[in-house]
Amino acid sequence: MDSVIDARHVSEPGLVVLDITAADEETALALMDELQQLWATSGITEIRRDPAQPGVRARVYADVRRTNPGLPQDGEEQAATTDQ
């Protein structure tokens, strides 16, 4: 991707910028959807197709410190299994 990553997008540990390249739009959309289920992200972003490059591209900003509240946090799944 040609756009510059702004320093605020990676200003502290846990903030990431993910440049996605996929074979097709469906794959890129599926990945972005899965990422937003795991972390706080910029969501489903614009998909670009560069004529000189194969596939499609997208960029997602994520905070990997903030997980989806519906998912078990570290140790929770193991504790639930142990209790049974």
Side-chain angles (χ1 to χ4, degrees), residues 41-82:
T41 72
S42 54
I44 305 295
T45 61
E46 179 182 349
I47 296 176
R48 296 175 179 85
R49 188 176 297 273
D50 297 328
Q53 300 291 322
V56 296
R57 301 186 188 314
R59 177 171 282 173
V60 174
Y61 302 94
D63 182 344
V64 300
R65 303 166 299 182
R66 293 182 46 208
T67 59
N68 182 326
L71 296 176
Q73 301 300 308
D74 291 339
E76 286 183 10
E77 185 174 24
Q78 186 176 8
T81 305
T82 305

Side-chain angles (χ1 to χ4, degrees), residues 1-82:
M1 308 212 72
D2 294 333
S3 59
V4 177
I5 296 171
D6 191 303
R8 68 189 161 130
H9 294 128
V10 292
S11 61
E12 51 190 273
L15 301 180
V16 297
V17 178
L18 304 166
D19 285 330
I20 298 167
T21 302
D24 54 40
E25 289 185 22
E26 182 178 302
T27 303
L29 290 169
L31 175 62
M32 288 188 280
D33 183 53
E34 288 295 322
L35 290 173
Q36 73 178 357
Q37 301 302 315
L38 294 173
W39 300 315
T41 72
S42 54
I44 305 295
T45 61
E46 179 182 349
I47 296 176
R48 296 175 179 85
R49 188 176 297 273
D50 297 328
Q53 300 291 322
V56 296
R57 301 186 188 314
R59 177 171 282 173
V60 174
Y61 302 94
D63 182 344
V64 300
R65 303 166 299 182
R66 293 182 46 208
T67 59
N68 182 326
L71 296 176
Q73 301 300 308
D74 291 339
E76 286 183 10
E77 185 174 24
Q78 186 176 8
T81 305
T82 305

